[in-house]
Amino acid sequence: MEQQDKANRHQLIQNWIYQAADHIRSSMQDPLQVSEKTSRKDLVTNMDKETESFLVEKIQQSFPNERILAEESSNQNTQDLNGVVWIIDPIDGTLNFVKQKHDFAIMIAVYEDGIGQMGYIYDVIKDEMYVGIKDQGVKCNQKQLSKVDDTSLAKGLVAISGLLLAEGNEAAKQVAKRSSGVRIVGSAGIETIYAVTGRIVAYVAASLAPWDIAAGKVIAEELGLMYTQQNGEPIQLLKKNPVLIATPSAHKEIFELLQGVSSK
Amino acid sequence: MEQQDKANRHQLIQNWIYQAADHIRSSMQDPLQVSEKTSRKDLVTNMDKETESFLVEKIQQSFPNERILAEESSNQNTQDLNGVVWIIDPIDGTLNFVKQKHDFAIMIAVYEDGIGQMGYIYDVIKDEMYVGIKDQGVKCNQKQLSKVDDTSLAKGLVAISGLLLAEGNEAAKQVAKRSSGVRIVGSAGIETIYAVTGRIVAYVAASLAPWDIAAGKVIAEELGLMYTQQNGEPIQLLKKNPVLIATPSAHKEIFELLQGVSSK
């Protein structure tokens, strides 16, 4: 993807996200229509759907020949990642959006032949726009971010899926104990932001979908974090993945704990 | 404590907190002197100590005959709660302060003969000042807060000490599973703010010290939350307590789970 093409897309994408976020914020006092998807912990609202429709329409108007993989769309007939593919999560952290009105994000990524070219995570309430462009680093609200320090597990906080801990997963418990402490935000996008800004050294997620991963992976890798499946294999972007995002040294430690081959 | 006395104290306390917070924020780029207290997860910094010294000095100047119970003071010779006692936590969430530079709070409470009269939690980075005055409700940045809705455990998010989950505590796991999800902030003050603003329906904390409890208890109880030990007994303010803060209905459910007398 050419430099100029990326620059043109960037202006459009950022604009669309700000417009979508304005709509979400101005609707926050209105009653929400909330439905359960797979369980009472997996929700979708009219705002997820409206936001997705808005973004999909904008993309289709400007890029009619490009495919879109989006969380709330029923026809996700994307069998491969050839050409340009847009991957969007209109509201990442819907449970937080419904219950807290905080800690949710709009996420958009542009992939080309399976390679992440552009990633956007926008924290709607904090008004923080994280933009990662392949080989150009990451900016938050125009300000260039530094590469992350390679902090060890013992010296850092970690985010772990609440479900893993609530299920008593032994490896997750070991990761928690060896870290300085556990934090749980409940939005893959915002937990990825915590990792790229050094607030946590690792994020261990039980099962992330393509739209939970796509934007954050571009952003995290640009800043020197490792972003893999929990077994160390590369992410398979067209399916759900157990994910480990971490600094290189925390990644090595956690990977070993998760594989049960810890030297201790 | 007379109305006018409280009004006078309020102006002073709020002012002191803002001054202390300005100092913390303006020092955030300076190198911190960090020491371990009981473990690598229990830290104290020069900023905790400086902030505490500042607040203690201010209190002693204005109220020389009143006692002070403060986190970092070595001579915490408070054997009873007779008369007016100040209880302060200069930086609640020191680990967050050190590792994240977010999600920490200054907390001050004024108790009289064991009854909480005034409670302050100030989120330094978000610039949110929560003020609870006995029988006068709670304000955040001057705006009066509503009483909390009596939301059930199943319909709400909960905060649980990371340690309880990492240890595989069975009751904590049950609470997590029956809730809509777990969130962990790592600051008792900010987790109490989450409860009073309805972001979570309960906060289950393994062991809180007097300075973790005092301000939040005034604020939480003014808004209709229950604030007790985990066995349902009243808080013993001069020692550490396993704490359960919750809406009335979530309190009943969680209390039963923690006692192992769930009807399920």
Side-chain angles (χ1 to χ4, degrees):
Chain A
M1 194 167 275
E2 301 285 326
Q3 186 79 3
Q4 188 56 50
D5 186 7
K6 281 185 186 167
N8 294 342
R9 286 170 187 262
H10 172 69
Q11 290 308 322
L12 291 170
I13 295 168
Q14 193 162 262
N15 228 329
W16 298 337
I17 292 175
Y18 282 134
Q19 284 181 57
D22 279 344
H23 180 60
I24 293 171
R25 282 187 295 250
S26 67
S27 310
M28 298 235 332
Q29 299 307 319
D30 303 341
L32 271 178
Q33 293 152 32
V34 182
S35 326
E36 295 180 5
K37 291 200 289 187
T38 60
S39 76
R40 72 188 159 84
K41 304 182 185 187
D42 182 19
L43 306 178
V44 61
T45 74
N46 57 307
M47 288 307 301
D48 297 70
K49 292 174 186 168
E50 287 172 31
T51 304
E52 181 162 308
S53 296
F54 170 82
L55 295 173
V56 166
E57 194 179 300
K58 291 292 185 188
I59 295 167
Q60 287 176 335
Q61 281 170 359
S62 296
F63 304 95
N65 300 319
E66 295 177 0
R67 291 181 298 166
I68 304 169
L69 183 58
E71 180 173 16
E72 312 304 344
S73 301
S74 49
N75 58 338
Q76 294 163 348
N77 53 358
T78 309
Q79 304 296 324
D80 63 70
L81 290 168
N82 298 337
V84 175
V85 178
W86 295 72
I87 305 178
I88 70 182
D89 192 341
I91 297 182
D92 174 64
T94 299
L95 200 53
N96 285 349
F97 173 63
V98 172
K99 307 284 183 188
Q100 305 199 63
K101 310 284 186 198
H102 284 84
D103 288 339
F104 58 93
I106 299 173
M107 302 204 289
I108 298 184
V110 181
Y111 276 63
E112 187 179 36
D113 296 331
I115 311 288
Q117 297 291 339
M118 312 176 78
Y120 293 76
I121 302 177
Y122 182 61
D123 182 326
V124 174
I125 298 303
K126 288 193 184 148
D127 182 25
E128 289 179 353
M129 175 76 79
Y130 291 83
V131 181
I133 311 279
K134 186 167 167 50
D135 302 326
Q136 296 177 34
V138 177
K139 288 182 179 173
C140 171
N141 293 355
Q142 325 294 346
K143 187 168 170 287
Q144 195 83 29
L145 300 187
S146 317
K147 292 237 172 190
V148 295
D149 292 332
D150 188 15
T151 308
S152 68
L153 177 59
K155 294 208 167 157
L157 300 168
V158 296
I160 302 179
S161 298
L163 201 62
L164 280 178
L165 287 175
E167 280 170 350
N169 180 286
E170 196 51 46
K173 282 158 57 179
Q174 284 302 317
V175 172
K177 283 186 192 170
R178 296 211 189 173
S179 75
S180 284
V182 178
R183 302 293 179 262
I184 303 179
V185 182
S187 148
I190 291 178
E191 270 142 335
T192 304
I193 288 173
Y194 274 40
V196 300
T197 55
R199 292 178 65 169
I200 56 175
V201 294
Y203 172 39
V204 183
S207 172
L208 296 187
W211 37 86
D212 298 319
I213 294 170
K217 186 167 181 289
V218 177
I219 291 170
E221 290 182 342
E222 276 298 308
L223 292 179
L225 289 168
M226 298 187 67
Y227 198 124
T228 69
Q229 294 190 55
Q230 286 176 11
N231 62 7
E233 296 287 318
I235 296 293
Q236 299 281 336
L237 201 53
L238 291 177
K239 61 185 190 72
K240 289 200 169 187
N241 291 253
V243 166
L244 170 58
I245 310 172
T247 64
S249 67
H251 191 280
K252 182 169 182 295
E253 293 171 77
I254 295 172
F255 166 76
E256 286 174 1
L257 286 169
L258 295 175
Q259 300 308 303
V261 294
S262 160
S263 56
K264 190 180 174 181
Chain B
M1 193 167 277
E2 301 287 325
Q3 185 79 3
Q4 187 56 49
D5 186 6
K6 281 186 188 168
N8 294 343
R9 287 170 187 263
H10 171 70
Q11 290 309 322
L12 291 169
I13 295 168
Q14 193 161 263
N15 229 329
W16 298 337
I17 293 175
Y18 282 132
Q19 285 181 57
D22 279 344
H23 179 60
I24 294 171
R25 281 187 295 250
S26 67
S27 310
M28 297 233 337
Q29 298 309 318
D30 302 343
L32 271 178
Q33 293 152 32
V34 182
S35 324
E36 294 180 5
K37 291 200 289 188
T38 60
S39 75
R40 72 188 159 84
K41 304 182 186 187
D42 182 19
L43 305 178
V44 62
T45 75
N46 56 306
M47 288 309 300
D48 297 70
K49 292 174 185 167
E50 287 173 31
T51 304
E52 181 162 307
S53 297
F54 171 81
L55 294 172
V56 166
E57 193 180 300
K58 291 292 184 187
I59 295 166
Q60 286 175 336
Q61 282 170 358
S62 297
F63 304 96
N65 299 319
E66 296 177 1
R67 291 181 297 167
I68 304 169
L69 183 58
E71 180 173 16
E72 312 303 345
S73 300
S74 48
N75 59 338
Q76 293 162 349
N77 54 357
T78 309
Q79 305 296 324
D80 63 70
L81 290 168
N82 298 337
V84 175
V85 177
W86 296 71
I87 305 177
I88 70 184
D89 193 341
I91 298 182
D92 173 63
T94 299
L95 199 53
N96 285 348
F97 173 62
V98 173
K99 307 284 184 188
Q100 304 200 64
K101 310 285 186 198
H102 284 83
D103 288 338
F104 58 92
I106 298 173
M107 303 204 289
I108 297 184
V110 181
Y111 277 63
E112 188 178 36
D113 296 331
I115 310 289
Q117 296 291 339
M118 313 176 78
Y120 293 75
I121 302 177
Y122 181 62
D123 182 326
V124 174
I125 297 302
K126 288 194 183 148
D127 182 28
E128 289 179 354
M129 175 75 80
Y130 291 83
V131 181
I133 311 279
K134 186 167 166 51
D135 302 326
Q136 295 177 36
V138 177
K139 288 182 178 173
C140 172
N141 292 354
Q142 325 292 347
K143 188 168 170 285
Q144 196 83 28
L145 299 188
S146 317
K147 293 236 171 192
V148 294
D149 294 332
D150 188 13
T151 308
S152 68
L153 177 59
K155 293 208 168 158
L157 299 169
V158 295
I160 303 179
S161 298
L163 202 62
L164 281 178
L165 286 175
E167 280 170 351
N169 180 286
E170 196 52 46
K173 282 158 57 179
Q174 285 301 318
V175 172
K177 282 186 192 171
R178 296 210 189 175
S179 75
S180 284
V182 179
R183 302 293 179 263
I184 302 179
V185 181
S187 149
I190 291 178
E191 269 142 336
T192 304
I193 288 173
Y194 274 40
V196 300
T197 55
R199 290 179 66 169
I200 56 175
V201 294
Y203 172 39
V204 183
S207 171
L208 296 188
W211 37 86
D212 298 319
I213 294 170
K217 185 165 180 291
V218 177
I219 291 170
E221 290 181 343
E222 276 297 307
L223 292 180
L225 288 168
M226 297 187 67
Y227 199 124
T228 69
Q229 294 190 56
Q230 285 177 12
N231 63 6
E233 295 288 318
I235 295 293
Q236 299 281 337
L237 201 52
L238 291 176
K239 60 185 190 72
K240 288 201 170 190
N241 291 252
V243 166
L244 171 57
I245 310 172
T247 64
S249 67
H251 191 279
K252 182 169 184 295
E253 292 171 75
I254 295 172
F255 167 77
E256 286 174 1
L257 285 169
L258 294 175
Q259 301 307 304
V261 293
S262 160
S263 56
K264 191 180 174 182

